């Protein structure tokens, strides 16, 4: 089951790569990708990713938080990354 806040892999004609689920309505997702937003993606063209974060995952998320200008999320990610790296 894919929910808001999940990381997914998208495979469509227009885009193949990871994305973050921002909103969900039945079989359609609104997602955030590193280079912008895809307004709608069919739930049938995505796969939920493993929920365990690795160091490179934190870097991607931190970059996304910076791109979005979300200081609070950036600070949370930086703190979690420090805890995981201990």
């Amino acid at each position: 089951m894919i929910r808001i806040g999940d990381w997914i892999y998208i495979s469509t004609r227009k885009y193949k790569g990871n994305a973050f689920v921002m909103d969900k309505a039945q079989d359609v997702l609104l997602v955030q990708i590193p280079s912008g937003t895809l307004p709608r993606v069919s739930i049938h063209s995505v796969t939920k990713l493993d929920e365990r974060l690795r160091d490179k995952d934190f870097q991607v998320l931190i970059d996304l938080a910076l791109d979005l200008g979300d200081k609070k999320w950036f600070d949370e990610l930086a703190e979690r990354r420090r805890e995981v790296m201990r």
Side-chain angles (χ1 to χ4, degrees):
M1 169 136 239
I2 295 175
R3 296 179 289 216
I4 295 171
D6 286 343
W7 280 94
I8 57 172
Y9 179 79
I10 300 171
S11 181
T12 65
R13 282 184 271 158
K14 292 184 179 183
Y15 180 78
K16 290 189 187 322
N18 296 342
F20 182 76
V21 178
M22 303 292 286
D23 198 10
K24 179 181 176 186
Q26 287 196 290
D27 290 345
V28 178
L29 304 173
L30 175 66
V31 299
Q32 177 73 43
I33 60 173
S35 62
T37 300
L38 290 176
R40 295 190 175 132
V41 177
S42 169
I43 200 166
H44 304 292
S45 63
V46 305
T47 304
K48 186 174 177 179
L49 296 176
D50 185 356
E51 295 180 13
R52 290 172 285 163
L53 295 177
R54 295 165 185 83
D55 187 48
K56 70 177 185 169
D57 299 325
F58 277 108
Q59 190 57 53
V60 170
L61 291 172
I62 287 169
D63 290 344
L64 182 58
L66 290 171
D67 289 345
L68 296 173
D70 191 331
K71 182 178 178 353
K72 181 180 178 189
W73 190 29
F74 170 84
D75 291 341
E76 290 171 4
L77 289 167
E79 179 59 29
R80 283 186 60 199
R81 185 180 192 185
R82 281 190 290 273
E83 290 172 4
V84 169
M85 298 305 290
R86 290 183 195 168

